[in-house]
Amino acid sequence: MMRRQSLFLASLLSPVTIYLGIFFIGPLAIIAVFSLLEPGLYGGVVWNFYHWNYGRMFGWADGVIEYYEPIYLKILWRSMMMAMFTVIACLIFVYPVTFWVSHLSQKRQMFFMFLITLPFFTSLIVRLYAWLMILKPSGIINDALLWIGIIDQPLDMIFTRFAVVLGMVYVMIPFMFLPVYASVERLDRSLIEASSDLGARGWQTFLKVILPQTLPGIAGGSVIVFIPSVGNFVIPDVLGGAKGLMIGNLVEQQFLDARNWPFGAALSMVIMTVVLTVMLIYALKIMRAGQNVGAS
Amino acid sequence: MQPILEIRDAVRVFKTPEGGAVRALDGVNLDVDANEFVTLLGPSGCGKTTLLRAIAGFEDLDDGQVRVDGADLRRVPAFRRPVNTVFQSYALFSHMSVARNVAYALEVAGVGKDERTRRAGELLELVGLEGMETRKPSQLSGGQKQRVALARALISQPKILLLDEPLSALDRQLRQQMQVELKNLQDEVGVSFVFVTHDQEEALTMSDRIVVMCDGRIEQTGTPREIYRKPKSRFVANFIGETNMIKVTFDGKGTATSVEGIILKVSEAAPAGRATAVLRPSDLTLSDSKNAPAHAILGKVRQEIYLGAELHYLIEADAGGEYWRVTAKDEGVGFHTGQSVALSYDPDVIHLIEGDA
Ligand SMILES: Nc1ncnc2c1ncn2[C@@H]1O[C@H](COP(=O)(O)OP(=O)(O)O)[C@@H](O)[C@H]1O
Ligand SMILES: [Mg+2]
């Protein structure tokens, strides 16, 4: 009986397992292996064990063939900061809006969801170039500000980290919206009434009931926004210029321009490890906080 | 003595999505005394929840007043009212431990940690949940959640506790147990309870006073016995348990005659004229028609339902009219369908509702 059940389960799960194995674990394993191989002269790899890829980042390069550069970790750090700002900005925009939307009638909620997903119907590149038009020195914002007379020199907005974060916030907002909205929508209104019934003022109810109850959505949205933001290279490519370079651009360059696959792979492994660790700590913290937020 | 809660001409009108208006409260007047257990009883949609929410401060009245200890609460927000609620869904904070749930009112009032722990312990003991402090609400049974909700609402010593159908989610046995416990608890803590239910049995079991509501208005207020024995309207008589209602003409001197010509002897004093006679099924006694007592109603058994301790009969009077409902104890001998029987009663138990309706 047990055997038959487990056989049945195995046959049910095997397509998923095979799919994940081939398309997920496989590439990951290749990257892990490549990161420890010698770069080929014109791209590709030479099958020799080669630890300098990591050495270049962490400081045990010999200075002859491979050079140690702290810039890689610096850019990783900077990318994580930019991703964090993106997460925070998305949250600040999205959180109040979800409450407003959850109070709308069913029909309007559907319409709003449609609006939120509307950007997905056009190409990301096109939308980013639209931002370029808006932010550039002779763009809409600068023109308007010059015309009003608030400034007499165009502002440097394009090709800055600010522009990159702005672009990422713009792109990521729907991803933050959906999980946060789901948790706000699920929030039991009688909990809010119970809280004020028991003597809590508005801000106490928010801190002690609403925030902790919607924390799972906030955590989920943060993770979903943070991860693709750290490794993003399209948005900094278009809006970032030299000042807005992110770690994703570095990986891209290693594979496409420098043709140093092993180093690109090593960079990717480091990004993944660091991001995973950060996310794990964040998730654990949030879960613990969920029980203690607002406790005094 | 001044009532602790006074509701004066409360009116609340809701707009329906179809563009109409529902008068959820349509001129409600109610006084509740200190330490009183008052039950709001009525069918679904009659405005019970709306009235509770108006007292708690979640619902504004379009007209009228809610006064607690003589003070008008119109401008007093929910969090400042000396009134707490036990919600139908319990509304426990799932992210907090049982102890923190119970002590919530103290926490937001800025009471110190030690005091909170001590008081939460006391309240949990009161509701029989000692030792459950660190559990999460999700780790409790329905009955236990109910008790936590009670303890949480009582910890700040409110003047009035509002309970909106708190037992409806429990199974029958637990519900009956909780009815007794709730009543005992109320005696112990000395807080006025305003309890909402649509279950007449529950209302009869627990209440000092029952308020029967219908369509946003109060139909009748009285002790359980008054409500059961002397309903003021057919609606109340119908709502509180099974009943026989016979349209009669009363001569004002102890004899009521039904449309079909059945004669009922009535001891109750009432003016002559049209009326409805109310007779509870358990007030009727069945006997064989051969030795029928005086003034008995003769008829035939149309249906018998065996319910263990009780037997329910439907009797068709020989004179016609609606079937009579009779409840009898199971004493070994029953009456079978088709048998000729006599219905007798004590003239003292017949109640007359004046009027045509
Ligand atoms: N927020 C609301 N909006 C519109 N109609 C409402 C609202 N709350 C209650 N009602 C209506 O008011 C009437 C009384 O409702 P309620 O007080 O919940 O009844 P009960 O608790 O006795 O079942 C019902 O007809 C209900 O549909
Ligand atoms: Mg209700």
Side-chain angles (χ1 to χ4, degrees):
Chain A
M1 194 57 214
M2 264 327 280
R3 266 191 66 83
R4 275 195 49 181
Q5 257 187 11
S6 54
L7 263 179
F8 177 66
L9 251 180
S11 66
L12 263 184
L13 290 177
S14 58
V16 183
T17 316
I18 293 169
Y19 177 88
L20 280 180
I22 294 177
F23 296 109
F24 187 74
I25 308 284
L28 202 63
I30 293 173
I31 292 176
V33 171
F34 274 24
S35 75
L36 292 166
L37 295 179
E38 194 181 325
L41 213 47
Y42 304 105
V45 292
V46 177
W47 285 85
N48 287 330
F49 176 70
Y50 195 79
H51 55 78
W52 305 109
N53 298 323
Y54 288 101
R56 278 175 75 177
M57 282 180 269
F58 296 113
W60 68 79
D62 55 8
V64 181
I65 314 171
E66 300 284 14
Y67 296 88
Y68 164 61
E69 266 293 356
I71 190 76
Y72 302 120
L73 291 183
K74 247 189 218 160
I75 292 181
L76 175 58
W77 172 249
R78 191 165 92 195
S79 304
M80 291 189 13
M81 284 293 124
M82 288 163 77
M84 195 185 76
F85 278 122
T86 306
V87 166
I88 292 171
C90 282
L91 262 179
I92 291 173
F93 278 121
V94 159
Y95 198 53
V97 175
T98 52
F99 283 91
W100 175 70
V101 174
S102 68
H103 277 294
L104 295 178
S105 70
Q106 206 73 22
K107 246 191 210 154
R108 290 185 186 192
Q109 284 187 26
M110 294 296 282
F111 182 64
F112 194 88
M113 299 304 255
F114 167 71
L115 286 184
I116 276 277
T117 51
L118 198 58
F120 293 125
F121 291 95
T122 31
S123 149
L124 174 64
I125 303 289
V126 173
R127 286 184 283 139
L128 289 178
Y129 274 96
W131 273 107
L132 199 69
M133 294 295 146
I134 296 170
L135 295 176
K136 68 181 181 178
S138 58
I140 299 169
I141 294 182
N142 273 319
D143 278 357
L145 290 179
L146 284 169
W147 187 77
I148 300 172
I150 297 177
I151 51 173
D152 45 28
Q153 285 276 318
L155 294 176
D156 266 337
M157 283 182 295
I158 196 65
F159 305 137
T160 60
R161 280 175 219 169
F162 164 77
V164 176
V165 171
L166 187 72
M168 291 206 290
V169 169
Y170 163 71
V171 171
M172 293 298 172
I173 270 187
F175 297 100
M176 183 62 93
F177 183 85
L178 295 174
V180 172
Y181 175 69
S183 73
V184 168
E185 171 82 317
R186 241 196 338 263
L187 176 66
D188 183 355
R189 305 283 140 170
S190 67
L191 294 186
I192 299 173
E193 285 185 349
S195 175
S196 71
D197 189 61
L198 294 164
R201 285 149 189 279
W203 60 269
Q204 287 175 314
T205 299
F206 176 77
L207 227 58
K208 289 168 190 287
V209 177
I210 299 175
L211 191 60
Q213 286 282 330
T214 52
L215 217 49
I218 294 176
S222 303
V223 170
I224 290 177
V225 169
F226 185 80
I227 292 174
S229 295
V230 174
N232 204 303
F233 62 91
V234 180
I235 298 167
D237 250 2
V238 179
L239 299 176
K243 278 185 269 174
L245 187 82
M246 288 179 74
I247 194 78
N249 301 99
L250 230 53
V251 176
E252 181 201 11
Q253 280 168 14
Q254 292 308 319
F255 277 94
L256 300 182
D257 301 335
R259 306 214 126 245
N260 188 341
W261 292 10
F263 185 56
L267 274 174
S268 303
M269 291 308 289
V270 170
I271 298 171
M272 204 180 76
T273 312
V274 171
V275 169
L276 267 182
T277 313
V278 169
M279 289 292 93
L280 209 69
I281 294 170
Y282 179 73
L284 285 178
K285 271 235 157 88
I286 284 260
M287 268 195 279
R288 203 156 314 144
Q291 295 158 19
N292 300 323
V293 165
S296 48
Chain B
M1 199 177 65
Q2 186 184 25
I4 195 140
L5 171 70
E6 299 157 273
I7 294 162
R8 291 284 169 271
D9 306 312
V11 174
R12 179 72 174 117
V13 182
F14 289 113
K15 294 205 168 41
T16 59
E18 300 83 37
V22 182
R23 298 182 77 82
L25 297 178
D26 193 5
V28 171
N29 283 286
L30 178 65
D31 285 353
V32 175
D33 289 328
N35 298 345
E36 201 182 11
F37 196 123
V38 170
T39 300
L40 304 180
L41 175 66
S44 181
C46 70
K48 308 180 296 288
T49 297
T50 307
L51 183 55
L52 274 204
R53 291 173 58 81
I55 300 170
F58 302 133
E59 202 79 73
D60 288 329
L61 290 177
D62 294 315
D63 201 5
Q65 278 187 346
V66 174
R67 289 203 291 262
V68 172
D69 263 351
D72 188 356
L73 293 189
R74 183 188 309 273
R75 301 253 173 271
V76 182
F79 76 85
R80 273 218 203 92
R81 296 194 179 193
V83 168
N84 285 349
T85 307
V86 174
F87 292 81
Q88 184 167 9
S89 58
Y90 314 136
L92 297 181
F93 305 126
S94 56
H95 59 289
M96 296 182 190
S97 67
V98 164
R100 200 174 155 211
N101 261 287
V102 171
Y104 188 80
L106 303 182
E107 182 181 324
V108 296
V111 174
K113 178 112 198 163
D114 294 342
E115 173 75 359
R116 263 151 47 195
T117 313
R118 192 179 63 73
R119 294 275 295 132
E122 280 174 18
L123 265 291
L124 283 172
E125 196 182 317
L126 184 68
V127 296
L129 285 183
E130 49 280 77
M132 303 248 178
E133 279 86 350
T134 55
R135 288 212 197 171
K136 283 289 167 65
S138 59
Q139 296 165 316
L140 300 177
S141 70
Q144 290 169 332
K145 282 182 196 164
Q146 177 68 73
R147 288 161 211 250
V148 173
L150 264 170
R152 184 179 70 172
L154 284 171
I155 200 165
S156 56
Q157 298 172 317
K159 297 205 167 112
I160 304 161
L161 191 69
L162 309 172
L163 305 99
D164 193 355
E165 310 210 17
L167 306 183
S168 62
L170 305 179
D171 61 51
R172 192 182 157 79
Q173 213 170 0
L174 190 55
R175 198 160 70 223
Q176 286 171 341
Q177 184 193 334
M178 284 300 292
Q179 285 169 6
V180 178
E181 277 186 34
L182 256 181
K183 181 69 187 135
N184 293 340
L185 185 68
Q186 192 256 340
D187 286 340
E188 201 168 334
V189 296
V191 172
S192 301
F193 277 31
V194 179
F195 182 95
V196 161
T197 183
H198 61 261
D199 180 339
Q200 45 96 11
E201 215 176 308
E202 199 163 281
L204 292 173
T205 311
M206 305 171 72
S207 321
D208 294 327
R209 209 144 53 90
I210 295 176
V211 176
V212 184
M213 290 182 69
C214 174
D215 286 339
R217 274 187 304 269
I218 291 179
E219 281 279 325
Q220 187 174 357
T221 306
T223 62
R225 170 161 283 114
E226 281 166 3
I227 297 279
Y228 187 75
R229 282 294 166 195
K230 310 276 183 215
K232 278 186 188 155
S233 66
R234 292 176 67 94
F235 172 83
V236 175
N238 229 338
F239 198 74
I240 309 284
E242 269 201 303
T243 184
N244 296 296
M245 282 194 277
I246 309 99
K247 291 203 168 168
V248 295
T249 312
F250 188 53
D251 65 357
K253 297 190 294 280
T255 305
T257 314
S258 82
V259 187
E260 298 82 20
I262 297 171
I263 309 280
L264 295 171
K265 289 286 167 201
V266 182
S267 332
E268 195 176 78
R274 292 201 181 252
T276 301
V278 176
L279 258 166
R280 298 290 173 184
S282 55
D283 293 336
L284 288 158
T285 313
L286 274 183
S287 55
D288 199 302
S289 59
K290 274 170 236 144
N291 35 30
H295 307 304
I297 303 156
L298 296 175
K300 284 197 176 56
V301 178
R302 283 298 166 222
Q303 196 179 20
E304 45 173 322
I305 302 163
Y306 182 68
L307 290 174
E310 285 183 348
L311 279 155
H312 286 196
Y313 294 100
L314 287 180
I315 309 292
E316 182 179 18
D318 291 338
E322 277 186 53
Y323 286 5
W324 293 71
R325 297 157 188 275
V326 182
T327 313
K329 286 219 171 63
D330 179 18
E331 284 157 341
V333 283
F335 297 88
H336 54 81
T337 307
Q339 188 174 352
S340 291
V341 289
L343 289 176
S344 50
Y345 54 88
D346 177 353
D348 284 344
V349 301
I350 296 191
H351 170 62
L352 290 179
I353 299 170
E354 288 168 45
D356 239 345

